[in-house]
Amino acid sequence: MAALRVLAFAVAASLAAIGIAYPQDASSLKKEMLGQWELSTTERSKTCVVTMKGDAAGQGFKLELEPACKTALPFTKDIVAWSLRGLDIVRLQDATGEAVIDFTEVEAGIFEGLRQGEGVYILQDLAAARSMAKSMDQMIGDWAMVRGNGQPVCGLTLTNTEASADNFQVFLKPKCDAAIAQFNPTQWRLERGQIILMSKSGAVWQFEADDNAQWRRVPDTADPLIMLRQ
């Protein structure tokens, strides 16, 4: 599936099929959290599988972390249980009940949490996360940039070679339009349904999937720039 938006619909349907939806109350949220989840950095460069259980454990409920968690995400070594706070906060906590990280639901089956000084982490249904990973793999390869009238203006290659934390290398092909050559992106990533291209100077271009399985630069303009999978 070339377009992440199309994937999002598929993931949403999958989540609905396995019973994950926005909770109506804390009791519903507890039931929906039982099972396997992926804890990760925003771009999944570091991941960890968490199994939530309903059995009581100290001041919360039991959970299991796969052995690789402590290496991938060192802060997880302090997590011994999970609990709910209020109607919509999922807490991964230490032995005293203090938060190691708190998550709130931002989309069906997807939670975000912030650790000061480290950044944002994602907690999402494991099956959905693995579907997203497959989509990431399908982004790798050759693309063409065209104008709204279909005129080609540049070719580029997205790779899975790490350039920096959560970002990957991108290469422009020869004979690009002057504006694109001047931007000269060197890194890319997938973030919240967008392809993000970044230059050495820190400039950022964002592309969103449209209903025609194309990726359009946003915000849109009268002369749009579109990325097409080759």
Side-chain angles (χ1 to χ4, degrees):
M1 188 179 301
L4 196 59
R5 180 173 296 176
V6 178
L7 172 71
F9 286 127
V11 170
S14 174
L15 292 175
I18 60 177
I20 294 179
Y22 286 107
Q24 299 300 314
D25 52 42
S27 176
S28 297
L29 179 56
K30 179 187 173 183
K31 292 178 182 178
E32 290 162 8
M33 295 307 300
L34 301 181
Q36 289 190 304
W37 295 79
E38 181 187 85
L39 173 60
S40 71
T41 53
T42 53
E43 303 313 315
R44 301 186 70 256
S45 60
K46 298 179 180 179
T47 66
C48 161
V49 176
V50 182
T51 302
M52 306 279 210
K53 300 187 175 183
D55 305 320
Q59 301 182 46
F61 305 106
K62 289 183 180 179
L63 60 71
E64 292 181 356
L65 298 168
E66 66 176 354
C69 288
K70 293 178 182 179
T71 300
L73 302 170
F75 71 84
T76 60
K77 70 181 185 302
D78 297 322
I79 297 172
V80 300
W82 71 281
S83 63
L84 301 177
R85 290 293 183 269
L87 296 177
D88 61 355
I89 296 176
V90 177
R91 171 168 293 179
L92 302 185
Q93 61 193 47
D94 62 20
T96 67
E98 291 297 314
V100 176
I101 185 169
D102 283 338
F103 289 93
T104 54
E105 194 167 23
V106 293
E107 298 177 31
I110 301 178
F111 296 75
E112 281 190 1
L114 174 67
R115 278 181 58 82
Q116 293 295 333
E118 294 183 26
V120 174
Y121 292 88
I122 305 296
L123 184 69
Q124 63 179 317
D125 172 76
L126 182 61
R130 288 179 174 171
S131 293
M132 293 289 283
K134 291 179 183 177
S135 177
M136 172 74 178
D137 290 342
Q138 292 171 357
M139 298 294 105
I140 305 303
D142 292 332
W143 292 74
M145 280 190 182
V146 302
R147 293 294 181 187
N149 61 6
Q151 177 187 0
V153 292
C154 192
L156 66 162
T157 302
L158 303 184
T159 77
N160 59 359
T161 303
E162 285 196 31
S164 60
D166 298 327
N167 298 321
F168 304 92
Q169 291 182 353
V170 56
F171 298 99
L172 292 187
K173 296 184 178 181
K175 299 181 180 179
C176 284
D177 177 271
I180 300 170
Q182 184 176 5
F183 171 51
N184 191 24
T186 58
Q187 300 184 47
W188 78 282
R189 67 173 180 265
L190 278 180
E191 180 177 309
R192 289 188 160 278
Q194 295 183 334
I195 294 177
I196 310 294
L197 299 180
M198 295 155 285
S199 71
K200 286 184 178 180
S201 66
V204 173
W205 285 6
Q206 300 164 286
F207 293 80
E208 287 186 350
D210 65 17
D211 295 332
N212 298 312
Q214 301 174 342
W215 295 77
R216 299 171 70 93
R217 188 181 173 194
V218 291
D220 209 353
T221 64
D223 184 22
L225 188 60
I226 300 169
M227 287 180 60
L228 300 175
R229 190 73 166 87
Q230 298 297 287

